[in-house]
Amino acid sequence: MSVPLDPNSWEGRAMHAVLPAFSDVTTLKGRGPLVLDHGEGIYVVDVHGKRYLDANSGLWNSVAGFNHPVLIEAGCRQFRRFPGYHTFFGRMSDVTIELCERLIAISPFESGRVFLTNSGSEANDTVVKMLWLLATHQGQPQRRKILTRLNSYHGVTVAAASMTAKPYNAAFGLPLKDFIHVDCPHYWRYRTLDESEEQYSQRLAERLERVILSEDPTTIAGFFAEPVLGAGGVIPPPAGYFPAIQQVLWRYNIPLIADEVICGLGRTGVLWGSERFDLEPDIIVASKCITAGYFPMGAVIVKPSVADALNAAIAEQEEFAHGFTSAGHPVGCAIALSAIELITTGGLLENIQALSGQFESGLAAFASHPHVGEVRTAGWMGALEMVENKETCTPFPAALRVSERIANAALDVGLICRPLGQAIVICPPFIMTAHELHTMFSMLADTLECVFDALAHSSQM
Ligand SMILES: *Cc1c(COP(=O)(O)O)cnc(C)c1O
């Protein structure tokens, strides 16, 4: 099936010059990378003129589609006014201040402070350093351990990758010491027989408490959690999970950091995943949707008491010895202000709320498919967990690469969706209309039919 790539084609040149991020090598060799020229609404167009409906909003982030005039104009206007400045040595651009104020205003906190970065990974690393600084300042230098959940995704820099509890990080010799991984809250996969969701959540909270006690609570600096596990395969928390976990954390004075990089700014149907799933975080990390994918940006938002403690620690050091050269970039901030406005008052959040029933029922319709083991949704993020045997929840043999096959077949019909383990992830841009949602689901149905027909005929199943 695979033909050698012409070395002068975009695809061939990519294979010679680019080290692609998180890309399946077999697929790259087989069909080459997808090289894009431009975007139109929810579609991206490749260098050959073929259009693809991007059901993944780029990488969860392009929530306003790929050529939104308001965002483009906001960026261009700021480029003409003041095209770049840093945030070191007490200097910063005016729009940087405006954005920080805006982020606090829309956060669940009454007040607080914001630290800007260029990415979600940098924001998570920043929080780890904040927690360690606080521990040192408070005379508790032993308080260094960071708790996260198995299968969570917090990024790729060294601390964030140590928090990301995925098997692939073993190849890098990670996690670093002091990064501890606790249970993944996936009820469908890990419950015991006859256990209700509430009982399962309670059991995980008890197991968390046991880990905390065996590690020594005075050595734990913080617990990070995504409200909905995103790159873990879209796993919403089971009923009662965060309230139960939160009680344990409060008992031992362990801060909760909500990694809202995916959930923040509307993805779950409300502004913050924390609101929807009952987290009461001390610190919030946001990134992907802040600029709707039109500029690199991450943000750490801390609640007032954490801000006070940080200010005291920083005063002792004379400065916060931390910062990224291009963070708080005025163009990014101008775009972010515009994106936040589009989401909050410009109709984007309203749109996904209005169409959430259609999104949920569209995905739920796949539950009757003989190879869909579980359908998961939370707002406009969803996943179909593919299984070989539905009764026993048995996955396909890994060698079959079933979700990779589905994602590739989807490309053939002009749909971009993402394989994750043996699940297929759907997280469309917030600007999608009812008609476009319908088109997306029918393309997905065609894709599944095509893949499972082919597998049945090749007797690989
Ligand atoms: C994507 C992601 C990150 C990392 O963000 P980058 O901008 O890729 O560094 C962190 N946490 C979560 C939950 C993410 O989905």
Side-chain angles (χ1 to χ4, degrees):
M1 210 170 80
S2 78
V3 284
L5 295 172
D6 173 356
N8 295 318
S9 66
W10 282 112
E11 294 81 3
R13 288 165 59 187
M15 295 298 282
H16 278 96
V18 181
L19 270 177
F22 281 104
S23 300
D24 182 79
V25 171
T26 309
T27 296
L28 277 180
K29 280 196 186 134
R31 56 187 297 147
L34 174 63
V35 185
L36 299 170
D37 180 83
H38 67 282
E40 295 164 5
I42 60 164
Y43 290 86
V44 288
V45 182
D46 73 11
V47 289
H48 310 288
K50 179 167 174 170
R51 268 158 58 97
Y52 302 84
L53 189 162
D54 193 333
N56 281 168
S57 306
L59 197 44
W60 313 86
N61 56 348
S62 300
V63 294
F66 300 95
N67 63 343
H68 201 293
V70 172
L71 296 178
I72 293 169
E73 183 48 34
C76 291
R77 211 182 314 118
Q78 185 60 38
F79 264 124
R80 285 188 293 264
R81 195 164 79 88
F82 192 27
Y85 212 74
H86 62 85
T87 55
F88 285 41
F89 322 130
R91 292 158 208 166
M92 66 192 77
S93 67
D94 51 7
V95 271
T96 307
I97 301 165
E98 250 185 279
L99 175 61
C100 292
E101 287 174 346
R102 191 84 190 101
L103 285 170
I104 294 165
I106 62 165
S107 80
F109 307 141
E110 274 176 24
S111 61
R113 294 278 188 126
V114 174
F115 188 90
L116 295 174
T117 69
N118 301 296
S119 69
S121 301
E122 289 175 356
N124 278 324
D125 274 49
T126 296
V127 175
V128 170
K129 286 179 73 179
M130 286 174 169
L131 296 171
W132 288 348
L133 178 68
L134 285 175
T136 312
H137 173 69
Q138 291 160 355
Q140 300 184 302
Q142 82 291 351
R143 196 182 274 282
R144 292 187 66 82
K145 291 178 188 164
I146 302 292
L147 300 181
T148 59
R149 285 99 43 87
L150 286 165
N151 207 20
S152 64
Y153 186 88
H154 298 288
V156 296
T157 46
V158 175
S162 293
M163 291 158 57
T164 295
K166 296 271 202 180
Y168 51 67
N169 278 323
F172 302 104
L174 295 173
L176 295 178
K177 162 175 164 304
D178 290 335
F179 289 82
I180 295 157
H181 303 151
V182 300
D183 295 309
C184 167
H186 191 177
Y187 175 71
W188 176 79
R189 200 184 287 278
Y190 300 121
R191 74 187 149 186
T192 58
L193 275 178
D194 305 326
E195 189 176 37
S196 72
E197 280 192 43
E198 287 81 0
Q199 288 167 333
Y200 173 70
S201 295
Q202 203 52 50
R203 179 160 66 88
L204 293 197
E206 285 159 19
R207 284 169 56 88
L208 172 65
E209 182 160 21
R210 249 175 279 148
V211 172
I212 291 171
L213 289 172
S214 78
E215 292 290 339
D216 176 358
T218 68
T219 64
I220 297 172
F223 178 92
F224 285 71
E226 301 158 82
V228 178
L229 286 141
V234 184
I235 302 170
Y241 174 79
F242 277 113
I245 295 289
Q246 186 97 58
Q247 289 302 325
V248 174
L249 298 176
W250 279 335
R251 199 169 301 145
Y252 299 101
N253 287 318
I254 298 170
L256 171 64
I257 300 91
D259 183 342
E260 295 254 12
V261 168
I262 287 177
C263 294
L265 281 307
R267 179 55 75 185
T268 66
V270 291
L271 213 44
W272 302 100
S274 292
E275 281 173 73
R276 165 125 191 227
F277 295 106
D278 304 319
L279 288 78
E280 290 188 42
D282 299 285
I283 300 176
I284 287 178
V285 171
S287 175
K288 288 192 166 87
C289 304
I290 295 186
T291 57
Y294 285 48
F295 208 87
M297 165 97 57
V300 177
I301 312 170
V302 304
K303 74 175 187 183
S305 59
V306 177
D308 292 345
L310 272 172
N311 280 330
I314 291 165
E316 190 181 67
Q317 304 295 314
E318 281 292 328
E319 66 176 5
F320 185 30
H322 183 78
F324 302 95
T325 302
S326 32
H329 194 287
V331 175
C333 293
I335 293 171
L337 282 163
S338 210
I340 292 170
E341 176 141 2
L342 278 180
I343 293 169
T344 55
T345 55
L348 263 55
L349 192 55
E350 226 169 286
N351 184 53
I352 72 174
Q353 286 167 349
L355 297 178
S356 69
Q358 190 193 343
F359 182 82
E360 273 167 37
S361 61
L363 266 187
F366 290 94
S368 57
H369 190 282
H371 290 294
V372 172
E374 188 188 34
V375 177
R376 301 186 285 270
T377 51
W380 271 27
M381 57 200 293
L384 303 179
E385 186 73 38
M386 310 311 297
V387 289
E388 182 166 45
N389 184 316
K390 233 173 142 144
E391 274 64 56
T392 58
C393 302
T394 312
F396 284 97
L400 212 53
R401 302 155 40 76
V402 71
S403 56
E404 198 69 26
R405 271 173 204 256
I406 295 170
N408 288 337
L411 284 182
D412 292 338
V413 305
L415 175 72
I416 292 180
C417 59
R418 172 173 178 203
L420 242 177
Q422 297 206 354
I424 293 296
V425 170
I426 301 291
C427 49
F430 300 172
I431 56 168
M432 267 208 170
T433 62
H435 177 72
E436 288 169 335
L437 275 178
H438 179 79
T439 305
M440 175 182 82
F441 285 127
S442 80
M443 286 169 121
L444 185 59
D446 291 349
T447 303
L448 292 188
E449 190 177 322
C450 166
V451 168
F452 288 105
D453 278 0
L455 280 176
H457 286 112
S458 67
S459 71
Q460 279 184 285
M461 292 171 37

